[in-house]
Amino acid sequence: QSSNNEIIRTQGVSTAHLQQLTGLEYNVDISSSKEPHLYVIRKQLRRSKTNTETIDVFYCLDGIIYQCPVLLDVLNSRIAKAAHHLRNSFEDVATIARGEDNKLELTDAAT
């Protein structure tokens, strides 16, 4: 499926005509971009002249294009990492409480 951007490019029409079309389009978010190193690009579905739905967000950093991760995926990853470290900490505390940790005895003996 081609985008509206491709359609107007092949027809040699001005980008101002993008708002007249409905369908898939790409738009550079000027307010979020930091020229010349960072550009934010939105892949969006245009339903009408004033109604668009963002499908994906990409960023172009120093000429390399990356897809932005979904916020839910980022949060899940960070929560999983925090849970892993908490679990390890509780296991260490339980080991120390049972007196099974030789590190604690070595530390006490050194002081």
Side-chain angles (χ1 to χ4, degrees), residues 43-79:
K43 178 181 180 181
Q44 56 192 25
L45 182 62
R46 180 166 294 282
R47 299 187 189 280
S48 69
K49 189 173 184 176
T50 58
N51 183 6
T52 59
E53 174 189 343
T54 300
I55 298 170
D56 268 326
V57 179
F58 302 88
Y59 61 96
C60 180
L61 180 62
D62 292 327
I64 300 173
I65 299 174
Y66 303 92
Q67 184 174 6
C68 291
V70 177
L71 180 60
L72 182 60
D73 293 342
V74 172
L75 293 177
N76 281 337
S77 173
R78 296 213 176 164
I79 289 171

Side-chain angles (χ1 to χ4, degrees), residues 2 23 40 43 58 63 75-76 92 96 98 105 111:
S2 62
V40 178
K43 178 181 180 181
F58 302 88
L75 293 177
N76 281 337
D92 290 346
I96 292 170
R98 288 190 301 267
E105 294 171 11
T111 55

